[in-house]
Amino acid sequence: MDSSWVDLDTRLDLNLNPLPHRFEVPKREFQGDFAGFEEKVSVKVKPREIGVLEDELNRISSENKKLTEMLTVLCENYSILEKQYMDLLSKNSSSETELTASKKRKSDSEDYRKMIGFNGHIECSSSDEESCKKPKENTKTKVSRIYMRTSASDTASLIMKDGYQWRKYGQKVTRDNPSPRAYFKCSFAPSCAVKKKVQRSAEDPSVLVATYEGEHNHPPPTKPELSLSPSQGSTVGPVSPARRSQGPAGTLDMFQGIVSDDAKKSVQEVEAPAIRQILVQQMAASLTKDPTFTAALAAAISGRFVDQGRTEKW
DNA sequence: CGACTTTGACCCGCGC
DNA sequence: GCGCGGGTCAAAGTCG
């Protein structure tokens, strides 16, 4: 199924066709202050140059249109894939109910295998094996499970970036899995009782399985707050109650973590195409829905041209 | 120095 | 009752 995912670099490189050399902006353009820039903008531009600039502007505009179309197609692809994913989930859940308790664990891992086929899986449930194991516990406790493929460099640690701040309080080697299980508590809010367990998959050590218990009673950390936790760099919790209702289980929250965390790290470390897909979808949505995007782009580009005119004058 | 991680000990539930 | 295994605690160590 991997092949069905669009492997898209999420960086928006709008410079598809680099401008001719004469339009390249020297480094010095980005140095110094721009005070009095407006005055300088009223430059004497030769009529011939105006025509060239207009041509460039038109070209950029058409590129922008193409990009918008690409994003639209991407959104459609995502919708289709999302539908397939939800179908798959519903099939699995229906078959799961027919299994006995003893078989359930096995089916869970098989289920996981199917899911991991497309590299990332997010599963949320309020009535799962956890509540079967611990019938005395409050069955209302929401439990969600996230499978995340990690890069080789991440295999040493069990830190799973999800946007929230976690404090590790224990680690244990369990019987059914040679790799240790790490226990985390949400440390962002003292009153937040959310816990998470992170363990490598016994079948695929490159896959981290995080099990979240409970719901955060606080909003997800914002950017500045995230930057306050450099050591763990942890990151998004799956379940902000206010957001839980929307979209495929947990996906939006997961996505939010990726976005709100240090972008470089997240994109590198979270390799699950599903997550990237969500990222792309969000980007596409925000761009296509924003009527000012084109205008802003054009303004930025024309600003660059004006800059260029100024530079040539110097 | 404070926040966080590590890790061995302890607690508790469950099955036999 | 006993042993096992999962979960938690807390002191010591580490790091920025």
Side-chain angles (χ1 to χ4, degrees):
Chain A
M1 188 155 327
D2 258 345
S3 57
S4 63
W5 291 93
V6 182
D7 190 10
L8 181 79
D9 188 340
T10 53
R11 289 169 301 179
L12 262 186
D13 185 5
L14 295 176
N15 224 2
L16 293 179
N17 297 320
L19 294 168
H21 176 69
R22 61 197 168 83
F23 286 108
E24 283 181 11
V25 182
K27 278 186 179 177
R28 98 183 242 227
E29 285 298 287
F30 299 104
Q31 296 167 353
D33 70 27
F34 287 83
F37 172 65
E38 292 294 331
E39 297 167 18
K40 291 182 182 177
V41 165
S42 55
V43 199
K44 308 147 198 165
V45 184
K46 299 172 186 174
R48 184 180 57 84
E49 285 179 354
I50 290 177
V52 174
L53 293 177
E54 281 178 349
D55 286 345
E56 287 299 330
L57 194 56
N58 289 335
R59 187 181 62 79
I60 298 295
S61 296
S62 64
E63 277 182 11
N64 183 36
K65 273 186 184 178
K66 286 177 187 174
L67 284 171
T68 305
E69 288 168 10
M70 285 170 63
L71 287 170
T72 307
V73 171
L74 208 58
C75 288
E76 289 168 1
N77 287 339
Y78 171 75
S79 299
I80 294 168
L81 289 170
E82 186 184 36
K83 194 182 173 185
Q84 291 175 354
Y85 170 57
M86 295 310 288
D87 286 346
L88 193 62
L89 271 189
S90 59
K91 280 181 190 172
N92 285 331
S93 61
S94 62
S95 64
E96 210 171 274
T97 56
E98 297 164 8
L99 298 172
T100 62
S102 61
K103 287 180 182 175
K104 199 170 181 182
R105 180 173 295 177
K106 190 184 175 186
S107 85
D108 207 30
S109 66
E110 285 170 355
D111 188 40
Y112 149 74
R113 248 184 307 234
K114 286 180 200 167
M115 290 307 172
I116 222 63
F118 59 88
N119 261 347
H121 173 48
I122 299 165
E123 174 188 317
C124 290
S125 63
S126 54
S127 59
D128 63 354
E129 69 172 340
E130 228 68 31
S131 53
C132 296
K133 280 185 192 169
K134 303 176 183 177
K136 285 181 182 178
E137 275 189 4
N138 185 1
T139 53
K140 285 179 183 176
T141 301
K142 298 218 174 187
V143 178
S144 59
R145 186 166 303 150
I146 293 177
Y147 299 114
M148 182 179 289
R149 190 178 293 280
T150 60
S151 61
S153 61
D154 278 346
T155 55
S157 72
L158 286 172
I159 292 172
M160 200 170 180
K161 305 190 185 299
D162 60 7
Y164 283 91
Q165 212 172 333
W166 300 97
R167 179 187 181 87
K168 188 177 182 179
Y169 66 90
Q171 182 165 316
K172 194 88 174 178
V173 176
T174 56
R175 202 167 56 95
D176 54 348
N177 194 332
S179 53
R181 174 183 294 171
Y183 300 89
F184 297 90
K185 282 178 183 172
C186 180
S187 64
F188 182 69
S191 59
C192 182
V194 178
K195 293 175 187 173
K196 89 170 172 181
K197 291 177 281 188
V198 180
Q199 188 172 31
R200 303 208 161 277
S201 165
E203 295 159 5
D204 186 352
S206 67
V207 174
L208 281 180
V209 182
T211 305
Y212 295 83
E213 291 179 31
E215 291 182 71
H216 293 280
N217 57 8
H218 56 87
T222 57
K223 275 181 186 177
E225 285 158 349
L226 279 171
S227 66
L228 289 176
S229 61
S231 61
Q232 172 135 345
S234 52
T235 38
V236 197
V239 264
S240 156
R243 309 183 52 134
R244 192 189 273 279
S245 60
Q246 43 183 313
T251 53
L252 281 177
D253 301 292
M254 197 65 175
F255 164 70
Q256 193 204 10
I258 293 163
V259 173
S260 58
D261 197 359
D262 182 343
K264 283 182 289 181
K265 277 191 179 177
S266 296
V267 172
Q268 284 172 354
E269 292 173 2
V270 181
E271 293 189 342
I275 309 302
R276 284 164 51 179
Q277 198 70 21
I278 295 162
L279 184 65
V280 169
Q281 198 261 350
Q282 287 279 340
M283 286 173 57
S286 63
L287 289 179
T288 53
K289 286 176 185 173
D290 184 3
T292 63
F293 171 68
T294 306
L297 179 64
I301 292 167
S302 58
R304 190 169 156 177
F305 290 161
V306 171
D307 256 5
Q308 174 63 24
R310 189 179 62 154
T311 308
E312 284 180 348
K313 245 178 53 175
W314 288 345

